Amino acid sequence: MEPIIAIVLVLIGYALGSAKLINQGNEALVERLGRYHRKLQPGLNFIVPLLDQVVMEDTTREQVLDIPPQKVITKDNIYLEVDGVVYWRIKNMEKSFYQIDDLQQALTNLTATTLREIVARNSLEETNAARADMNKALLDELNRITEEWGVQITRVDIQRITPPESVQKSMEEQRAAEIKSRAAILEAEGQQKAAIMKAEGTKTSMRIISEALRTIPDSQEVLRYLEAQEQINASYKLSESKNAKVVFVDANARKAPEMINRISLGEARHEIHHSDDEESDAEVS
């Protein structure tokens, strides 16, 4: 009875030792007597105890590698601090284990070195304007090398490009100057439009005054009216000032309303007379 129990226990131990459960999204490598034997897929797998050994189990899902800040010198000799993030995944489990030692450290060192080389090819302005192009160049360069490691780089993001404080201050001053320049241009355009509108208004006023001088018999009254109007406008401007003053109004200014009425009456008579002449011409024709 005891031998049977011993055999059963040995079989149970063998079964437990030979069964390997691999989680979904992972793969494992098995060596037999120190040499690569096979790869275990997700699910329940069996190996030969004492002969076989699982030497590696890792995920094939996408992973994130944070690259620490790197000191970089640009093409125009500006010191920058650049950091980024690399998204990668294992495509070939055998290569990732047997072709490179300490895969994540190798990826970190390779990315940092390549990042410094690519940024150094550009000036400070180019690094800020062409970040997407640098991400693509970095992705292509990394995949060219990591293919031998059984690794695929899926995406690279340069997160921050930090220039020195003196350079940041200069950039802020430059942006402020550009904003002021655009504001000055807009203000000049507004003043130009206002001047054009004022000139058009003055032209219209001169045309009306010219017609009034031709239609009113006593044109001297019109001139006195214009003089009085200028004096009234000057008085208004003086009264709006905060400084105390005494304003004298010319006698012609007091007569301005009366002159306005007389000019308006004269224009109305001229319009009636002009209309009668047109009707007479129509009857004759």
Side-chain angles (χ1 to χ4, degrees), residues 80-182:
L80 300 177
E81 189 174 79
V82 183
D83 67 344
V85 174
V86 175
Y87 297 85
W88 63 284
R89 69 193 320 158
I90 295 176
K91 298 293 291 183
N92 188 311
M93 191 69 66
E94 297 96 307
K95 286 185 176 181
S96 68
F97 182 72
Y98 291 107
Q99 295 294 329
I100 187 72
D101 186 26
D102 197 346
L103 177 60
Q104 289 207 7
Q105 186 62 45
L107 287 174
T108 300
N109 294 339
L110 175 64
T111 304
T113 303
T114 310
L115 179 61
R116 287 195 295 267
E117 292 176 356
I118 291 177
V119 173
R121 300 172 192 168
N122 300 275
S123 64
L124 174 62
E125 184 177 356
E126 291 170 344
T127 56
N128 290 320
R131 189 174 300 189
D133 294 336
M134 289 193 297
N135 286 337
K136 185 178 183 305
L138 185 58
L139 178 66
D140 295 340
E141 187 69 20
L142 291 177
N143 273 321
R144 185 180 63 83
I145 299 174
T146 58
E147 183 179 4
E148 297 294 328
W149 302 347
V151 171
Q152 179 190 15
I153 308 298
T154 57
R155 186 157 57 100
V156 179
D157 287 335
I158 298 176
Q159 291 187 314
R160 285 181 297 274
I161 299 177
T162 308
E165 292 184 2
S166 58
V167 176
Q168 293 184 39
K169 185 177 180 180
S170 299
M171 294 171 64
E172 291 174 358
E173 292 176 352
Q174 181 180 358
R175 284 194 293 266
E178 291 175 354
I179 293 173
K180 290 181 179 179
S181 176
R182 288 196 295 268

Side-chain angles (χ1 to χ4, degrees), residues 61 155 188 204 250 256 272:
R61 292 168 290 186
R155 186 157 57 100
T204 303
D250 189 81
I272 294 172

Side-chain angles (χ1 to χ4, degrees), residues 3 12 19 34 36 45 69 74 107 111 145 152 163 216-218 221 228 284:
I12 293 174
Y36 172 71
N45 298 267
T74 63
L107 287 174
T111 304
I145 299 174
Q152 179 190 15
I216 298 176
D218 191 1
E221 292 187 2
V284 171

